[in-house]
Amino acid sequence: MWCGSVTAIPDSVGSLISLTQLLINGSAIKELPISIGSLSYLKELSVGNCKDLSKLPDSIEGLASLVELQLDRTPITHLPDQVGALKMLRKLEMRNCKDLRFLPESIGSMLALTTLNFVGANISELPESIGMLENLIILRLNNCTQLCKLPSSIGNLKSLHHLWMEETAVTELPESFGMLSSLMILKMAKKPYIELSGNSMPNSTEFPTSFSNLCLLVELNARAWKLCGKIPDDFAKLSSLESLNLGYNNFFSLPSSLTGLFNLKRLLLPYCKELNLSMPGSKIPDWFSREVVRFSERKNLKIKGVIICVVVSLDLQIPDDLRDQLPIIADHRPIVSKLKDGYEISIIEHDPPIIKGLKLKKYGIHLVFEDDDDYDGDE
């Protein structure tokens, strides 16, 4: 490994019939000898970071015992069809193979595969045959920026536990996606869309109706997936969720059925600018101050947040086009970083109100300091 002056492997390597590992990472070889197919006991072949290795020989089909194949950061453009003969292969890694454009259909014949890693490859699609990999547990597709769609057969991956597909060009999940009955981790975040002057908002997307069938899903990161409108009520069927990131999306409400997510520990909703989180009720909890709050610095205790609770009424008989577009609480900006000793915090009602028919009935303010957010009551 890392013998940068080694430019060739001799044909005689095929005579090492008992060889189980061949690790030549970081060498300067340009090709593997055809005789490598004679290594029927070889279990691990690693040629990562071989910058001049652009293809594998067809004779690779002779590696009947191969369990791991590592081809990271090589200029390989494609895998030969003969790769499907590797019936014992469990792990195939091709991270940052920038020249890799497609995968052969024969990959579906590698039935022992448990891990596929194509992070950073330039493939535009996955072959339909990938659905035949019934033992696949981990599929990594992060930063495959040319990947535009997933095959409908992906729902056949009954053993798939982890799917990473962050920063891809996929904008729609196939209806079969909900058939991934073992899926536990789904990370498919995208870079947040930056709205520039003159640019129109990109098209919205929706999850397939079958998505709520993923009852074993523990973590979902769907940041910046252009989700608009309402999050469906049946989202609450994802009863195993512990972490949910829906930041940088454009939906305006969350369903009340989310109360059924009993295992949820982390809910991330940053930069959901259309959202107005509210709940029905008319009582301000006792731990809120009804008066103007004066901020006083506390020694060795940093302020962590300002919680504002308001009770408002809406006269729905008064028409107003802005009601569905603007949040009820306007001009609410992060203020923690601005607070200085002696500053006063209060709620101001616009007169006339920005939204017609809106009246402020009650309000309360609560400052949260470090170690001060563990409330023991039932509110």
Side-chain angles (χ1 to χ4, degrees):
M1 297 171 65
W2 305 107
C3 294
S5 298
V6 175
T7 58
I9 302 296
D11 286 336
S12 58
V13 72
S15 300
L16 302 176
I17 58 175
S18 297
L19 195 67
T20 59
Q21 285 183 311
L22 180 55
L23 313 178
I24 48 180
N25 305 54
S27 69
I29 64 168
K30 293 180 172 59
E31 61 182 7
L32 291 171
I34 295 176
S35 65
I36 197 174
S38 301
L39 303 178
S40 58
Y41 289 99
L42 193 68
K43 292 186 176 181
E44 183 178 358
L45 174 60
S46 183
V47 294
N49 292 282
C50 291
K51 304 298 185 182
D52 298 314
L53 182 66
S54 60
K55 65 177 182 179
L56 297 178
D58 294 347
S59 63
I60 196 173
E61 63 183 340
L63 304 181
S65 300
L66 199 64
V67 175
E68 294 189 18
L69 177 58
Q70 203 261 67
L71 306 169
D72 293 349
R73 298 179 184 85
T74 57
I76 289 177
T77 58
H78 68 281
L79 294 173
D81 288 336
Q82 289 79 1
V83 77
L86 304 179
K87 303 298 185 183
M88 300 293 290
L89 195 69
R90 294 174 58 86
K91 181 183 291 187
L92 173 59
E93 295 185 306
M94 299 190 70
R95 288 170 287 198
N96 294 302
C97 291
K98 301 297 184 182
D99 296 308
L100 184 67
R101 295 290 189 269
F102 66 93
L103 300 171
E105 285 288 339
S106 62
I107 200 171
S109 300
M110 305 162 73
L111 300 182
L113 274 173
T114 60
T115 300
L116 278 177
N117 193 332
F118 298 114
V119 168
N122 276 323
I123 53 177
S124 59
E125 62 182 0
L126 298 174
E128 281 289 336
S129 65
I130 201 169
M132 299 170 61
L133 303 179
E134 57 186 26
N135 293 304
L136 193 66
I137 297 175
I138 297 174
L139 177 57
R140 292 180 179 266
L141 302 167
N142 284 1
N143 298 111
C144 291
T145 55
Q146 302 302 312
L147 184 64
C148 298
K149 66 176 183 178
L150 298 177
S152 58
S153 64
I154 197 169
N156 296 327
L157 301 179
K158 302 302 184 183
S159 299
L160 194 66
H161 285 189
H162 296 69
L163 174 56
W164 280 269
M165 45 180 287
E166 297 181 315
E167 306 296 347
T168 70
V170 176
T171 58
E172 186 177 359
L173 300 178
E175 186 60 36
S176 65
F177 201 84
M179 296 169 57
L180 296 172
S181 55
S182 297
L183 195 63
M184 299 177 66
I185 306 294
L186 176 56
K187 295 186 178 183
M188 53 182 192
K190 298 180 182 295
K191 288 183 179 179
Y193 172 78
I194 300 176
E195 187 175 358
L196 302 175
S197 58
N199 283 11
S200 59
M201 185 62 68
N203 294 332
S204 62
T205 59
E206 295 181 356
F207 287 149
T209 55
S210 65
F211 193 86
S212 60
N213 294 333
L214 304 177
C215 58
L216 295 184
L217 199 63
V218 173
E219 181 176 354
L220 170 60
N221 189 337
R223 184 189 68 192
W225 252 72
K226 303 175 188 174
L227 301 174
C228 297
K230 296 181 178 180
I231 298 296
D233 279 331
D234 60 3
F235 213 72
K237 294 180 181 178
L238 307 177
S239 56
S240 298
L241 270 182
E242 295 181 7
S243 177
L244 176 58
N245 187 340
L246 296 175
Y248 291 89
N249 282 296
N250 301 308
F251 53 85
F252 56 76
S253 68
L254 293 171
S256 58
S257 59
L258 286 189
T259 55
L261 300 181
F262 301 110
N263 296 303
L264 195 65
K265 298 177 181 177
R266 298 175 71 244
L267 176 61
L268 304 178
L269 301 168
Y271 292 91
C272 292
K273 296 183 178 181
E274 304 296 324
L275 188 64
N276 172 30
L277 290 174
S278 63
M279 63 187 73
S282 60
K283 181 184 177 183
I284 302 289
D286 293 337
W287 44 277
F288 280 90
S289 171
R290 272 73 169 178
E291 308 296 333
V292 173
V293 173
R294 180 183 294 272
F295 169 66
S296 298
E297 293 183 353
R298 297 185 184 180
K299 188 175 181 180
N300 299 325
L301 284 180
K302 291 183 179 180
I303 186 165
K304 293 177 61 179
V306 178
I307 304 177
I308 298 173
C309 182
V310 296
V311 176
V312 298
S313 65
L314 276 173
D315 187 345
L316 299 179
Q317 301 301 314
I318 301 177
D320 186 359
D321 293 337
L322 294 179
R323 187 172 295 142
D324 293 330
Q325 302 178 29
L326 294 178
I328 289 178
I329 304 174
D331 301 326
H332 181 208
R333 299 184 177 90
I335 59 177
V336 172
S337 61
K338 307 294 184 182
L339 290 178
K340 294 182 180 179
D341 193 62
Y343 275 22
E344 293 184 344
I345 306 171
S346 62
I347 304 297
I348 298 175
E349 183 178 16
H350 286 272
D351 187 16
I354 295 177
I355 299 176
K356 297 176 182 177
L358 174 70
K359 288 186 178 180
L360 177 66
K361 310 295 287 186
K362 304 175 185 176
Y363 75 85
I365 302 173
H366 180 70
L367 305 184
V368 181
F369 291 85
E370 288 181 342
D371 301 321
D372 192 33
D373 56 349
D374 295 325
Y375 186 72
D376 295 328
D378 59 0
E379 299 184 273

